[in-house]
mmCIF file of all heavy atoms in Angstrom:
data_model
loop_
_atom_site.group_PDB
_atom_site.id
_atom_site.type_symbol
_atom_site.label_atom_id
_atom_site.label_comp_id
_atom_site.label_asym_id
_atom_site.label_seq_id
_atom_site.Cartn_x
_atom_site.Cartn_y
_atom_site.Cartn_z
ATOM 1 N N ASP A 851 6.723 -0.311 -5.757
ATOM 2 C CA ASP A 851 6.041 0.838 -6.358
ATOM 3 C C ASP A 851 6.644 1.042 -7.746
ATOM 4 O O ASP A 851 7.772 1.531 -7.878
ATOM 5 C CB ASP A 851 6.229 2.097 -5.505
ATOM 6 C CG ASP A 851 5.481 2.006 -4.175
ATOM 7 O OD1 ASP A 851 4.781 0.994 -3.942
ATOM 8 O OD2 ASP A 851 5.599 2.944 -3.378
ATOM 9 N N GLU A 853 7.518 2.620 -10.851
ATOM 10 C CA GLU A 853 7.619 3.954 -11.440
ATOM 11 C C GLU A 853 9.028 4.122 -11.985
ATOM 12 O O GLU A 853 9.943 3.369 -11.632
ATOM 13 C CB GLU A 853 7.338 5.016 -10.370
ATOM 14 C CG GLU A 853 8.365 4.972 -9.240
ATOM 15 C CD GLU A 853 7.942 5.702 -7.980
ATOM 16 O OE1 GLU A 853 6.763 5.593 -7.601
ATOM 17 O OE2 GLU A 853 8.794 6.358 -7.372
ATOM 18 N N HIS A 924 -0.816 2.522 -8.255
ATOM 19 C CA HIS A 924 -0.036 3.597 -7.613
ATOM 20 C C HIS A 924 -0.501 4.939 -8.178
ATOM 21 O O HIS A 924 0.221 5.921 -8.161
ATOM 22 C CB HIS A 924 1.451 3.340 -7.913
ATOM 23 C CG HIS A 924 2.419 4.120 -7.069
ATOM 24 N ND1 HIS A 924 2.221 4.392 -5.736
ATOM 25 C CD2 HIS A 924 3.631 4.688 -7.368
ATOM 26 C CE1 HIS A 924 3.256 5.083 -5.263
ATOM 27 N NE2 HIS A 924 4.114 5.286 -6.235
ATOM 28 N N HIS A 928 1.354 9.800 -10.580
ATOM 29 C CA HIS A 928 2.222 10.008 -9.415
ATOM 30 C C HIS A 928 1.985 11.382 -8.773
ATOM 31 O O HIS A 928 2.913 12.059 -8.331
ATOM 32 C CB HIS A 928 3.714 9.832 -9.752
ATOM 33 C CG HIS A 928 4.498 9.317 -8.573
ATOM 34 N ND1 HIS A 928 5.190 10.137 -7.713
ATOM 35 C CD2 HIS A 928 4.653 8.069 -8.092
ATOM 36 C CE1 HIS A 928 5.757 9.418 -6.765
ATOM 37 N NE2 HIS A 928 5.439 8.154 -6.962
ATOM 38 N N PRO A 964 1.212 7.901 -3.983
ATOM 39 C CA PRO A 964 2.577 8.380 -4.142
ATOM 40 C C PRO A 964 3.066 9.043 -2.857
ATOM 41 O O PRO A 964 2.347 9.844 -2.242
ATOM 42 C CB PRO A 964 2.455 9.403 -5.276
ATOM 43 C CG PRO A 964 1.292 8.913 -6.079
ATOM 44 C CD PRO A 964 0.332 8.345 -5.072
ATOM 45 N N SER A 965 4.252 8.656 -2.416
ATOM 46 C CA SER A 965 4.847 9.209 -1.192
ATOM 47 C C SER A 965 3.932 9.081 0.029
ATOM 48 O O SER A 965 3.967 9.922 0.912
ATOM 49 C CB SER A 965 5.240 10.686 -1.382
ATOM 50 O OG SER A 965 6.252 10.793 -2.345
ATOM 51 N N HIS A 1067 11.380 0.404 -4.723
ATOM 52 C CA HIS A 1067 11.117 0.940 -6.063
ATOM 53 C C HIS A 1067 12.080 0.294 -7.054
ATOM 54 O O HIS A 1067 13.237 0.039 -6.702
ATOM 55 C CB HIS A 1067 11.353 2.451 -6.103
ATOM 56 C CG HIS A 1067 10.508 3.229 -5.153
ATOM 57 N ND1 HIS A 1067 10.880 3.463 -3.837
ATOM 58 C CD2 HIS A 1067 9.310 3.823 -5.320
ATOM 59 C CE1 HIS A 1067 9.940 4.174 -3.248
ATOM 60 N NE2 HIS A 1067 8.971 4.404 -4.107
HETATM 61 ZN ZN1 ZN B 1480 5.902 6.351 -6.021
#
Side-chain angles (χ1 to χ4, degrees):
D851 291 357
E853 62 196 41
H924 195 37
H928 211 264
S965 295
H1067 301 87

